Every structure is written in structure tokens, then in C-alpha cells.
Amino acid sequence: SKTDNHSQQLSLLSFDLDDTLWSTKDVVRDANEKMIQTMKDLGCINIDVETFLKTTKEIRKSLKGRPITYEGLRKKTIRKTLE
């Protein structure tokens, strides 16, 4: 193979939310609570964490195993919540 004289530098290393390095349960819970409070502050009064999580599960089930990122799932849930 052809040798490239340019070195590459790693600028970002990311792990998904699978408890690879630490338990993410508390981080995700805190993020959900903050997001719900922000949505309430912006006028979405009919939302709570339980409803948001229930909607998330319904969307995941409707995907029937098709892959989705965590970000994509959250966006779909937010859209559904705002309908």
C-alpha cells in the first residue's frame, strides 16, 4: 500500500451510553429531568419524565428492531410530545 507521510491526530473519542466507562443511569436521568424542565419553561406544560419515557418506549417498539441513535430517538420523542 501507498505510505502517507501525513500523521493523523485523534481529536475526539466518544463512547455510547452502554456503561463502557461508567454507569450512565444518573447522567441520563439528570439530562431527562433538565430537558423536561426546559420544555416546561418554554410552554410545554403537559410533559413529565414518566410520559416522555413512555413515549420513547412506544417509538422504540414501533421501529420493530430497526436501528436508531439515541439522539434520533430523543428527537422523535420530543416531536411526538409536541404534537
Side-chain angles (χ1 to χ4, degrees), residues 39-53:
M39 290 175 74
K40 286 181 177 183
D41 292 347
L42 294 171
C44 186
I45 59 174
N46 294 323
I47 185 65
D48 57 53
V49 173
E50 285 183 41
T51 303
F52 188 82
L53 294 177

Side-chain angles (χ1 to χ4, degrees), residues 38-79:
T38 299
M39 290 175 74
K40 286 181 177 183
D41 292 347
L42 294 171
C44 186
I45 59 174
N46 294 323
I47 185 65
D48 57 53
V49 173
E50 285 183 41
T51 303
F52 188 82
L53 294 177
K54 180 181 174 191
T55 303
T56 300
K57 288 177 185 176
E58 290 169 356
I59 291 170
R60 188 181 300 271
K61 185 176 178 181
S62 75
L63 294 171
K64 299 178 182 176
R66 290 189 311 268
I68 189 168
T69 65
Y70 191 70
E71 177 185 3
L73 181 60
R74 287 176 70 82
K75 286 180 178 181
K76 283 183 177 287
T77 305
I78 291 167
R79 283 187 201 108

